[in-house]
Amino acid sequence: MAEQHDLMELAKRRGFFFGSNGAYGGTAGFYTFGPEGASLKHNVESAWRDRFTVRLGNDEIEAPTIMPEAVFEASGHLDGFDDMLVECAECGESHRADHLIEDAVEDIEDAEALGVDRVEELIREHDLACPTCGAALAGEPVEDFNLMFETSIGPGSGQTGYMRPETAQGIFVEFPRLKEYARGQLPFGVTQIGPAYRNEISPRRGIIRVREFTQAELEQFIDPEEDEPPLGEVDDVGVRLYPASEQHADDGGYVDTTIGEAVAEGIIGSPWVAYYLGVAQEWYERVGVDMDRFRFRQHLGGERAHYAADCWDAESEIDGNWIEIAGFAYRGDYDLSKHGEYSGDRFTIFKRYDEPVTVEKAVVDPDMSALGPEFGGAAADVAEALQDLAEDDPDAFDSDEVTVDVDGESYTVDTEVANFSIEEQTESGEHITPHVVEPSFGVGRTVYTLLEHAYREDEVDGEERSYLSLAPEMAPTDVAVFPLVTNDDELVGVAEDVAGSLRKAGLSVSYDDSGSIGRRYRRQDEVGTPFCVTVDKDGLEGDGGPTVTLRERDSAAQIRLPVDDVAAELAALLAGDREFEGLSQRYDDVDTDVTTA
Ligand code: ATP
């Protein structure tokens, strides 16, 4: 396991990521992905898109990152998207009050659920100190701090806008149009990969908690009464679950089971959530997460977001701590109902019945020539109130008179004037508000997990090295090509040709001719390049055409093969169709002592 320090140092030195705006003293919570990191992040996004958009048959959209205030009034973020803040009076540093409690008090794992007053008390009871300067925090107020970045849209005082705190809202607000692209048919899914912004109180641990980060989210819209996930696809997928009940129990532990069994036993309540846990388990394995350092943890009651009915997190173990890398929430109809209510637009789907149904409907047809003279300007409102009453309480029309309230005033009407009847109506369907199941992935935290889980140290030819055992699909570079020496035109020419033909074959190639060959191998090892091709003099001297050496990163083993075979063998190796070990039966092994070259 990598010491976090080593990994952060490697990340910076090798260009994976580093704190932004260093020239201006740095800005806490903002990171730049360097050339290697941007490439790795891109590969994670491509693999996610492949699995959660393309292979699931979903649509992807790209929405703006700034949205008007009305969106977040409706979504609940303006009111409820808060973290607990405590500020040190001595040094002025702000801290997440709930995190201070969790770090200091052994059996509290979820202080957020306790509420502001209790957290304030706990700070006093445990006499907690400011982690920055050591001053006592007892007595300092704990406040709810809204995490959204506010901005203004347009010049002057403008319209208040916010940087979106999750990509999801960009999908929800466009539901009235998106449902048309889905031809009004449930279920359908819409994905989005893009930045989200949260003004985190104390950003920390590199890219794990930052103020701008990339999310990959899927909003699966379903008819809760009819739509079922294709659970059969993931029935047998093994998962390590940490249900809420186990987290509460003194001797609680993991439940190692399969998705199929977890649903059958009710451990995972929603089959849709279970389905996505299964898909995610296989996806994390594919991209190279160490599945012994991975679990799904169910949210505890008070921890759930304001919208979520059941929620599980994917968590990876990093440096001895478990961090959330994705959340899987059953959001019910919360989002679409809210946007429907606040915007007045239609956030529903028309669900056609198999057969039209005849329904009985209570209706009134008030005699306006009687209501008008009697109630004047209120007559129309009284007529509307009578219709409402007919729908809510048809029995009221059994009496000779009915009474309705309009703006706090009572109006009594002869039942005959109301003209009440029960009509038969034919309905071909109904408008329903779909439910939403949401897998929400943090791309940066996935990148960090892959780096941490791939980090290895060992010794090759008597020298210590560190390397990243990244899955080939994730590695920033597929293959590096080296000319052993630079003062031999023929040799350099062959090396350049090899690099050119590999690029033409669609591989990402790094060409490196600087420093000793040993240093070049170490450089590629440290950025996780799975294969290196070296062109040396020996390879140009044989009779059967030029040969080169091919070295595999993790084993540091090398074979010699004809130049003409390189592209095809590499393609097979990178696709996972061939094992490097198997190649040594067909090609010659090479002495791996390269450090003196
Ligand atoms: P946390 O409890 O760690 O603040 P959260 O529960 O608020 O996270 P969600 O709202 O579920 O996170 O967001 C979905 C995903 O987005 C998370 O699983 C995580 O991977 C990522 N994410 C959330 N906040 C951050 C952040 N500040 N920096 C980096 N990634 C983040």
Side-chain angles (χ1 to χ4, degrees):
M1 187 196 311
E3 291 286 320
Q4 203 185 7
H5 171 79
D6 292 344
L7 189 61
M8 291 295 281
E9 189 272 331
L10 183 139
K12 189 170 176 186
R13 182 163 47 84
R14 288 294 177 216
F16 281 96
F17 55 83
F18 47 86
S20 303
N21 308 313
Y24 290 92
T27 320
F30 293 90
Y31 273 80
T32 295
F33 285 94
E36 303 293 346
S39 177
L40 171 56
K41 177 171 177 279
H42 178 82
N43 291 344
V44 170
E45 290 169 5
S46 297
W48 192 90
R49 180 174 284 115
D50 171 64
R51 187 65 187 96
F52 290 89
T53 307
V54 180
R55 286 213 240 162
L56 292 179
N58 292 323
D59 292 325
E60 180 172 2
I61 68 160
E62 197 173 311
T65 55
I66 295 177
M67 304 177 86
E69 186 162 41
V71 169
F72 300 110
E73 261 165 23
S75 70
H77 284 89
L78 215 49
D79 262 355
F81 199 58
D82 302 324
D83 274 344
M84 288 184 199
L85 167 80
V86 61
E87 199 176 302
C88 172
E90 192 68 28
C91 69
E93 194 71 39
S94 299
H95 303 288
R96 274 282 291 268
D98 52 330
H99 284 173
L100 295 182
I101 303 284
E102 286 159 17
D103 291 348
V105 187
E106 205 172 293
D107 42 336
I108 298 186
E109 275 188 27
D110 175 25
E112 203 175 359
L114 302 174
V116 165
D117 294 343
R118 180 68 189 127
V119 165
E120 219 171 79
E121 261 171 41
L122 282 165
I123 291 181
R124 228 187 337 261
E125 279 169 24
H126 292 272
D127 206 9
L128 296 189
C130 168
T132 312
C133 74
L137 289 173
E140 298 300 339
V142 173
E143 289 166 16
D144 278 329
F145 173 76
N146 194 288
L147 295 184
M148 286 198 294
F149 280 103
E150 190 178 329
T151 184
S152 75
I153 302 172
S157 53
Q159 183 191 5
T160 302
Y162 293 89
M163 314 292 291
R164 64 181 183 200
E166 57 179 11
T167 59
Q169 294 306 322
I171 297 177
F172 296 140
V173 295
E174 303 308 346
F175 182 79
R177 265 141 301 282
L178 295 172
K179 73 176 178 193
E180 288 172 17
Y181 306 137
R183 293 175 293 284
Q185 301 283 325
L186 290 173
F188 70 91
V190 180
T191 66
Q192 181 165 214
I193 301 177
Y197 302 84
R198 296 183 188 178
N199 201 2
E200 296 282 355
I201 292 169
S202 46
R204 55 180 180 175
R205 298 166 67 198
I207 56 172
I208 291 174
R209 186 169 299 286
V210 280
R211 291 178 167 140
E212 175 174 344
F213 54 97
T214 302
Q215 287 187 317
E217 295 194 298
L218 160 60
E219 307 306 328
Q220 173 73 59
F221 299 104
I222 58 163
D223 175 348
E225 287 187 355
E226 295 200 355
D227 294 336
E228 286 176 10
L231 263 183
E233 288 174 17
V234 292
D235 253 355
D236 297 335
V237 174
V239 281
R240 168 160 290 180
L241 302 179
Y242 194 25
S245 54
E246 294 295 317
Q247 296 168 54
H248 286 305
D250 284 344
D251 56 352
Y254 295 143
V255 178
D256 287 310
T257 182
T258 61
I259 292 292
E261 272 175 32
V263 173
E265 287 170 22
I267 303 172
I268 307 170
S270 154
W272 278 99
V273 169
Y275 172 68
Y276 283 116
L277 297 191
V279 174
Q281 168 86 20
E282 291 191 316
W283 183 79
Y284 279 122
E285 204 165 348
R286 157 178 164 186
V287 298
V289 170
D290 178 350
M291 297 320 269
D292 291 333
R293 297 164 71 189
F294 179 87
R295 68 183 186 189
F296 289 115
R297 188 181 69 83
Q298 188 176 27
H299 275 206
L300 302 171
E303 186 185 359
R304 264 180 242 143
H306 54 270
Y307 47 75
D310 187 19
C311 195
W312 289 76
D313 286 343
E315 296 190 329
S316 67
E317 186 268 311
I318 285 189
D319 219 19
N321 298 300
W322 287 98
I323 62 154
E324 172 189 338
I325 55 177
F328 301 79
Y330 192 93
R331 294 173 77 127
D333 68 355
Y334 177 87
D335 306 277
L336 297 184
S337 304
K338 285 280 176 188
H339 285 303
E341 186 188 325
Y342 279 68
S343 70
D345 208 338
R346 270 222 166 138
F347 284 74
T348 52
I349 286 246
F350 186 70
K351 181 176 163 186
R352 200 166 286 281
Y353 300 138
D354 294 338
E355 302 268 317
V357 294
T358 307
V359 290
E360 290 192 335
K361 206 173 169 200
V363 290
V364 290
D365 183 16
D367 179 355
M368 295 310 281
S369 66
L371 288 191
E374 201 173 346
F375 302 127
D381 289 341
V382 169
E384 209 172 291
L386 287 169
Q387 176 59 44
D388 290 345
L389 180 66
E391 286 170 25
D392 294 345
D393 182 16
D395 293 345
F397 292 82
D398 290 343
S399 325
D400 295 340
E401 290 179 344
V402 283
T403 303
V404 289
D405 273 351
V406 172
D407 293 335
E409 281 216 23
S410 288
Y411 297 86
T412 300
V413 181
D414 268 0
T415 309
E416 271 186 24
V417 172
N419 244 330
F420 174 85
S421 63
I422 300 279
E423 271 184 9
E424 290 207 333
Q425 291 184 357
T426 306
E427 289 182 354
S428 57
E430 64 184 316
H431 293 276
I432 63 157
T433 305
H435 282 202
V436 172
V437 189
E438 178 195 73
S440 167
F441 288 64
V443 175
R445 289 187 188 179
T446 308
V447 166
Y448 198 96
T449 300
L450 295 187
L451 290 173
E452 157 87 19
H453 289 190
Y455 186 89
R456 313 259 188 283
E457 288 172 351
D458 68 358
E459 216 174 82
V460 171
D461 302 326
E463 271 204 17
E464 284 186 5
R465 68 160 181 167
S466 53
Y467 66 102
L468 293 177
S469 182
L470 292 170
E473 187 189 1
M474 292 298 114
T477 305
D478 293 325
V479 55
V481 177
F482 311 142
L484 187 61
V485 293
T486 50
N487 57 1
D488 180 324
D489 288 348
E490 186 197 357
L491 190 149
V492 169
V494 172
E496 285 175 350
D497 285 351
V498 170
S501 66
L502 293 177
R503 284 197 181 110
K504 229 184 218 164
L507 303 186
S508 82
V509 179
S510 170
Y511 184 86
D512 187 357
D513 59 5
S514 84
S516 75
I517 195 75
R519 294 237 337 246
R520 284 183 258 171
Y521 282 140
R522 299 294 169 269
R523 258 199 302 266
Q524 296 303 327
D525 287 344
E526 282 197 324
V527 298
T529 307
F531 300 102
C532 293
V533 171
T534 299
V535 183
D536 58 4
K537 202 70 195 158
D538 288 353
L540 305 182
E541 282 167 354
D543 300 331
T547 62
V548 293
T549 68
L550 177 66
R551 171 184 182 273
E552 197 259 347
R553 175 195 62 207
D554 292 7
S555 61
Q558 295 183 46
I559 53 161
R560 182 174 289 283
L561 76 175
V563 165
D564 291 345
D565 290 3
V566 174
E569 295 295 358
L570 271 174
L573 287 165
L574 289 166
D577 296 341
R578 195 157 294 167
E579 294 283 325
F580 185 81
E581 268 179 24
L583 287 184
S584 59
Q585 286 155 18
R586 283 194 286 135
Y587 302 110
D588 293 337
D589 285 339
V590 178
D591 178 8
T592 59
D593 186 6
V594 293
T595 50
T596 50

